[in-house]
């Protein structure tokens, strides 16, 4: 299938890099930081207990469901208060977490494909997570980054997709959203009126009869190949 694409919005976690190893590592690094600087908190809230506390806070604060950074910080505040450590250290602890959270290992195809895509059309990162493109070192490939925290609502809400399209000065049907998550990325973008590409790295079966993604690839390199074939210039579409 070929159709006009004037810009691409791109998910980050599990699209450009796998998140699972990051999630496991940041919890370990944060716990090690707490052992050094807040030993009472580390003793009262080892990794599993800290995770359970964060989940409880998620339930208590549904108004912050779009703001994973603030939920993480408030979890640290709560843990330090309960353990008798100084909650003022929560900001420093969060910074230690955030540094490690932005140490990513890209999928092998991701960086070369990202460069190819950015040479064709403007790219915008649209993510529910708290990755920082500047810290990671790939912000030069993107026109901008729009996070759920900054927008005030998370994918699959149509508003975050529409906000990205407005910032690109394009209609939704002119924008292709690319991501790994069936609901957050593919169906969310579809309902918002964008074209959608499912990055199905694991080769899973599409779980719904309809709607289906406009495009489906197992790597970003395949998407870059498709874009090269479909466009002779950023504004010219092959018949």
């Amino acid at each position: 299938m070929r159709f006009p694409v004037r810009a691409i919005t791109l998910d980050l976690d599990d699209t450009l890099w796998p998140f699972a190893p990051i999630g496991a590592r940041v919890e370990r690094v944060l716990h090690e930081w707490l052992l050094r600087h807040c030993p009472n908190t580390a003793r009262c809230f080892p990794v599993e207990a800290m995770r359970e506390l964060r989940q409880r806070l998620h339930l208590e604060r549904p108004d912050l469901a779009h703001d994973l950074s603030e939920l993480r910080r408030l979890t640290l505040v709560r843990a330090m208060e309960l353990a008798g450590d100084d909650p003022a250290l929560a900001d420093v602890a969060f910074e230690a977490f955030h540094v490690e959270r932005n140490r990513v290992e890209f999928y092998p195809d991701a960086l070369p494909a990202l460069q190819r895509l950015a040479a064709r059309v403007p790219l915008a990162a649209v993510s529910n997570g708290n990755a920082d493109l500047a810290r990671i070192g790939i912000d030069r490939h993107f026109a901008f980054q729009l996070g759920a925290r900054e927008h005030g609502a998370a994918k699959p809400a149509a508003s975050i997709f529409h906000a990205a399209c407005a910032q690109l000065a394009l209609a939704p049907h002119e924008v292709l959203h690319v991501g790994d998550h069936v609901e957050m990325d593919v169906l969310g973008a579809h309902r918002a009126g964008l074209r959608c590409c499912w990055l199905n790295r694991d080769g899973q079966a599409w779980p719904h009869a309809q709607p289906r993604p406009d495009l489906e690839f197992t790597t970003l390199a395949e998407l870059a190949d498709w874009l090269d074939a479909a466009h002779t210039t950023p504004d010219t579409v092959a018949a």
Side-chain angles (χ1 to χ4, degrees), residues 47-64:
V47 170
E48 184 60 35
M50 186 69 78
R51 189 182 302 133
E52 292 172 358
L53 180 62
R54 188 168 71 254
Q55 290 168 350
R56 291 203 301 272
L57 197 62
H58 279 226
L59 296 175
E60 292 175 17
R61 296 294 307 271
D63 58 307
L64 291 177

Side-chain angles (χ1 to χ4, degrees), residues 7-25:
I8 290 174
T9 55
L10 196 64
D11 178 53
L12 298 175
D13 290 326
D14 293 320
T15 295
L16 295 183
W17 52 75
F19 179 73
I22 299 172
R25 193 180 67 244

